[in-house]
Amino acid sequence: MTTLPTIRLRAMEPEDLDALYCMENDASLWHLGMTNAPYSRYVLHDYISQQTGDIYTDKQVRLMIVNEAGETVGMVDLTSFDPKNLRAELGLVVARNHRQKGYAHAAMLALHHYAKSTLHLHQVYAVIPVDNHVCLHLFRTLNYQPSATLSDWLFDGTTYHDAVLMHHLL
C-alpha cells in the first residue's frame, strides 16, 4: 500500500453508541480480548458517559477512527495503562466493511503520535493470535518487535490458541 487514507482520531460521543454496540458485540472478536458476553446498549451508554478522556483517571483511553467522509470506521484504545513504566496495551478494531483499506495502519500511526506526544508513553504493546497473519504483518510493518510467545493464551470457546506479545518503543 502506497497511500494511506486520511483519518482522524476523536473521543467517543453519545452518537457512537450504535457503532460501539456493533463492534463490542461481534462475537467473532471476543476471543481476542476479555469479553465473553454481549454488552447492552444501557451498559455501553454508561461507559461512554463515564469516560473522562484522561488516561490517568480511567487507566485507558478509547478513540474512534473517522475517515474523510466523516464515517466512523473503527476504534482504537490504550488499556492496561501503567503510569510508572509509561506503557499501555493497544487494541484496534476496524468495522468489517472498512477492512483492508489502510484504516488500521493509518490509525496506528496516529495513535503512536498521540501516545508519544500527548500522553508521553514510552511503549505500547499488543497480544496477537499467531494465526492472525494480517494483523501480525501490520504490526511488523510498523516496527513492532515480538517479545514472547504466549502458549494457550486465547480461548475461542472451543480451543486455546497461542499468541505473540509484540511491543513498540515510541
Side-chain angles (χ1 to χ4, degrees):
M1 179 180 315
T2 57
T3 304
L4 293 176
T6 300
I7 59 100
R8 66 183 174 87
L9 302 179
R10 64 161 175 77
M12 286 187 301
E13 297 289 348
E15 295 79 18
D16 294 317
L17 180 59
D18 288 338
L20 188 62
Y21 183 82
C22 288
M23 286 184 259
E24 289 289 357
N25 288 310
D26 183 346
S28 69
L29 301 175
W30 289 352
H31 72 283
L32 301 174
M34 301 301 289
T35 302
N36 63 2
Y39 287 104
S40 70
R41 288 182 185 279
Y42 179 81
V43 167
L44 292 173
H45 179 271
D46 278 357
Y47 172 74
I48 292 171
S49 67
Q50 292 174 10
Q51 294 302 296
T52 67
D54 179 4
I55 198 167
Y56 284 90
T57 300
D58 300 333
K59 300 296 184 234
Q60 65 177 347
V61 64
R62 175 167 289 171
L63 303 167
M64 305 309 285
I65 307 165
V66 179
N67 68 11
E68 282 186 302
E71 301 169 300
T72 299
V73 298
M75 61 187 172
V76 63
D77 54 22
L78 294 169
T79 60
S80 303
F81 172 58
D82 178 347
K84 179 180 182 284
N85 297 298
L86 295 173
R87 68 173 161 247
E89 182 174 357
L90 183 149
L92 171 71
V93 177
V94 174
R96 288 187 185 282
N97 58 326
H98 292 290
R99 292 182 185 162
Q100 300 297 313
K101 297 178 182 178
Y103 290 123
H105 191 139
M108 286 181 60
L109 290 174
L111 186 71
H112 288 167
H113 176 75
Y114 174 73
K116 181 177 182 174
S117 65
T118 303
L119 301 177
H120 308 292
L121 296 184
H122 170 67
Q123 182 178 96
V124 291
Y125 64 92
V127 175
I128 305 166
V130 296
D131 61 351
N132 189 337
H133 303 291
V134 171
C135 189
L136 287 170
H137 175 73
L138 171 63
F139 278 72
R140 285 185 193 111
T141 299
L142 292 167
N143 296 317
Y144 277 70
Q145 301 299 313
S147 298
T149 298
L150 306 168
S151 298
D152 286 350
W153 200 255
L154 302 170
F155 185 61
D156 66 9
T158 305
T159 307
Y160 286 92
H161 300 271
D162 293 351
V164 178
L165 175 64
M166 298 191 79
H167 74 277
H168 179 70
L169 300 178
L170 299 171

